[in-house]
Amino acid sequence: MAFAPEEEFQAPKWLRVVGKVIKYTFVISVVLMMSWMLLRGCYQNGTKKVTRYLFTEAAAAQYEKGELTIRKLTAYNDNDLGRAFYIDSLTYTEELGQFQFMIRYNRYNERIRTYIDNHGLHSFCFVLVDNLGNRYTEYQYVTDSALMYGYYRLIFEGVDTAPITGLNVYIYPMSEAVAFDERLEACAVWFSDGHSESYTLSGAEKRAERPNPALLSSTVALLEPTETSETDITTGE
């Protein structure tokens, strides 16, 4: 029985070239997609600028005394997929009643994108509110951005945690004065029964300039309401 030569079963050269192009294009696409997902996952946790402990003047003075007790807390984020802002890297400095935390937002979120188009990147202001209705309108902050994310690291001092059980941060459009109830979003930050552990400063944090020269200060002027009331920290209402 006669067999045809092997050459007769080979695909035309042009078809083999097309096949190789498709093969390598697919491989490169997969590698790029996986690299993008890995990079995006890394930046979801924030940049070093907004995740490190930052020394305010008060924290720097306490550190020089050797009296700086920092706790690492678990930030609260619910599973609401429509949420535009997320919180991470939360610490509490006991001697100062100081909360530090990062806020991350996706610049391509529909609500955020519309707002940024009208007001510009990093054009938000913040108010910390406890469950008793006390409001903390003075804070220090730094900003950063990477890929599709924008970040703030916020620092509120003078928060007495003894009588309270939770904290919200209310997020507003940047303005000279804001209406208390007209916020963009409310995020639960901390609950008193959440996990807490000792926080050890890294070598880079210890070597950083004290106080941090990049810190900016802001005070939010609230227009209303004038009376205070207990706040539902779970819903932010």
Side-chain angles (χ1 to χ4, degrees):
M1 183 176 181
F3 292 92
E6 183 179 348
E7 291 78 6
E8 294 184 11
F9 292 99
Q10 291 185 352
K13 183 177 180 179
W14 68 268
L15 189 58
R16 296 199 302 273
V17 171
V18 170
K20 288 183 179 180
V21 170
I22 294 174
K23 173 184 175 181
Y24 290 119
T25 300
F26 175 77
V27 171
I28 292 172
S29 298
V30 170
V31 170
L32 290 176
M33 182 176 65
M34 293 180 65
S35 299
W36 170 254
M37 292 177 65
L38 179 62
L39 189 61
R40 179 179 177 181
C42 291
Y43 281 116
Q44 279 186 329
N45 298 324
T47 64
K48 291 181 179 179
K49 183 178 179 180
V50 293
T51 55
R52 286 177 173 171
Y53 184 88
L54 302 181
F55 282 91
T56 62
E57 289 188 8
Q62 285 294 133
Y63 184 76
E64 293 303 320
K65 296 178 184 178
E67 302 172 355
L68 196 66
T69 308
I70 309 172
R71 305 293 299 177
K72 180 181 179 181
L73 309 178
T74 299
Y76 177 83
N77 288 293
D78 59 29
N79 295 320
D80 182 3
L81 296 179
R83 182 169 296 284
F85 297 87
Y86 293 85
I87 295 171
D88 204 350
S89 302
L90 173 64
T91 63
Y92 178 69
T93 305
E94 294 181 358
E95 291 83 357
L96 307 174
Q98 181 203 86
F99 280 89
Q100 289 195 25
F101 53 93
M102 178 197 76
I103 286 187
R104 185 196 83 229
Y105 58 92
N106 189 326
R107 291 183 284 168
Y108 297 104
N109 174 282
E110 185 174 354
R111 285 195 298 133
I112 298 299
R113 183 176 58 196
T114 300
Y115 175 78
I116 289 176
D117 287 344
N118 294 329
H119 299 85
L121 185 64
H122 300 317
S123 296
F124 305 101
C125 57
F126 307 87
V127 176
L128 195 67
V129 184
D130 64 33
N131 62 293
L132 299 180
N134 299 308
R135 302 176 197 127
Y136 306 87
T137 57
E138 297 183 7
Y139 60 93
Q140 298 177 67
Y141 68 97
V142 296
T143 63
D144 203 3
S145 60
L147 299 181
M148 75 284 290
Y149 298 118
Y151 312 96
Y152 279 84
R153 185 160 187 83
L154 303 178
I155 304 175
F156 292 86
E157 294 182 335
V159 182
D160 182 5
T161 59
I164 64 175
T165 59
L167 291 166
N168 271 352
V169 62
Y170 289 179
I171 303 161
Y172 297 92
M174 181 65 75
S175 178
E176 293 183 359
V178 297
F180 182 74
D181 292 329
E182 296 179 3
R183 52 188 176 267
L184 295 172
E185 193 161 291
C187 297
V189 175
W190 167 81
F191 291 97
S192 58
D193 59 354
H195 178 72
S196 171
E197 62 185 64
S198 178
Y199 182 87
T200 301
L201 293 170
S202 68
E205 289 169 329
K206 291 178 181 179
R207 292 190 300 270
E209 188 173 348
R210 300 187 295 269
N212 192 296
L215 281 172
L216 302 173
S217 298
S218 181
T219 300
V220 178
L222 293 176
L223 296 178
E224 58 183 36
T226 55
E227 68 278 1
T228 61
S229 60
E230 291 196 6
T231 302
D232 184 345
I233 296 300
T234 303
T235 63
E237 299 300 329

